[in-house]
Amino acid sequence: EAGVAQSPRYKIIEKRQSVAFWCNPISGHATLYWYQQILGQGPKLLIQFQNNGVVDDSQLPKDRFSAERLKGVDSTLKIQPAKLEDSAVYLCASSLSTGPYEQYFGPGTRLTVT
Amino acid sequence: AQSVAQPEDQVNVAEGNPLTVKCTYSVSGNPYLFWYVQYPNRGLQFLLKYITGDNLVKGSYGFEAEFNKSQTSFHLKKPSALVSDSALYFCAVRPEGKLIFGQGTELSVKP
């Protein structure tokens, strides 16, 4: 079975620029997650989708971050404008649903903001 | 506040020796508990989980974890470490809704 796909793998931008990340979850997985992982820390949930609806976006900095999951399959996460502190790895994960199911992670996108 | 603690930033073990990576948590209710492993430049991989039932759960690559409700701990163990087990290990708990991760423990297994 194909895993979670993410692109790009690496991105370098200047502060105040915008950037977008793409994620394609495992086929049939209803729940999709975006995490931010800063170096030396564990992943922090930014937003969780159930199909195409938002379940939890309490830790998403909504003044600059946005995410969508049109048609309940793939998803994009956007940052506009980027700040230096946004430098991190952005991980996408999916799971069958919101129950006690393990999450499957993509390889991540390493963002560097200069 | 709900939190997960991995008290050791790094654990060093000789190949063939048993290993333990510690995890304690402070959350309300009866959470689901997970261990993930992260290899360099790769995403997190699921190792094992505790939902309910037997306190000792077995997972991938010979790893197991022991749930202790009174100590609110979920330590990861393996009877005989391999060099290939060297990686970053994350404990995570899910009280309800979102997954909360610890800060990670770097496991180094030397030949």
Side-chain angles (χ1 to χ4, degrees):
Chain A
E1 137 184 296
V4 177
Q6 288 188 249
S7 67
R9 292 294 311 276
Y10 305 91
K11 190 73 177 181
I12 301 174
I13 61 172
E14 295 181 352
K15 59 183 179 183
R16 291 187 290 274
Q17 287 187 324
S18 63
V19 64
F21 312 127
W22 174 83
C23 172
N24 191 279
I26 292 173
S27 178
H29 280 194
T31 314
L32 185 147
Y33 314 79
W34 282 103
Y35 290 87
Q36 180 191 59
Q37 185 177 18
I38 293 173
L39 188 64
Q41 299 180 18
K44 182 185 81 171
L45 181 70
L46 292 175
I47 189 167
Q48 176 181 339
F49 292 94
Q50 178 71 10
N51 296 311
N52 60 352
V54 175
V55 174
D56 185 342
D57 63 357
S58 58
Q59 299 188 101
L60 186 73
K62 298 181 186 65
D63 57 334
R64 299 184 300 105
F65 286 64
S66 65
E68 60 182 12
R69 190 184 184 198
L70 301 176
K71 301 180 182 178
V73 181
D74 55 354
S75 175
T76 55
L77 175 70
K78 297 179 182 178
I79 308 175
Q80 182 180 8
K83 293 184 175 181
L84 295 177
E85 58 261 37
D86 298 332
S87 294
V89 176
Y90 290 85
L91 296 166
C92 179
S94 69
S95 63
L96 274 173
S97 188
T98 56
Y101 303 105
E102 57 269 30
Q103 297 178 20
Y104 294 86
F105 286 79
T109 297
R110 183 176 299 277
L111 173 68
T112 301
V113 182
T114 62
Chain B
Q2 303 187 105
S3 63
V4 178
Q6 294 181 240
E8 300 155 317
D9 289 337
Q10 184 156 12
V11 170
N12 298 307
V13 178
E15 187 174 33
N17 283 0
L19 69 86
T20 298
V21 182
K22 297 179 180 177
C23 172
T24 59
Y25 60 90
S26 175
V27 301
S28 56
N30 297 309
Y32 304 139
L33 305 165
F34 301 82
W35 275 100
Y36 286 85
V37 59
Q38 187 173 37
Y39 297 100
N41 298 315
R42 295 176 65 178
L44 281 75
Q45 295 180 32
F46 168 76
L47 275 181
L48 50 79
K49 66 181 177 183
Y50 174 83
I51 304 301
T52 186
D54 192 350
N55 289 344
L56 186 66
V57 293
K58 295 186 183 297
S60 307
Y61 312 121
F63 284 93
E64 57 190 29
E66 186 168 14
F67 169 61
N68 187 315
K69 187 173 183 177
S70 62
Q71 297 185 3
T72 59
S73 67
F74 189 54
H75 299 333
L76 181 70
K77 300 180 180 184
K78 188 173 182 181
S80 179
L82 299 173
V83 173
S84 56
D85 292 330
S86 298
L88 187 57
Y89 290 80
F90 289 95
C91 178
V93 302
R94 188 175 162 202
E96 47 184 53
K98 66 171 155 252
L99 205 54
I100 303 169
F101 284 87
Q103 76 274 22
T105 297
E106 185 78 42
L107 173 66
S108 177
V109 182
K110 300 295 186 186

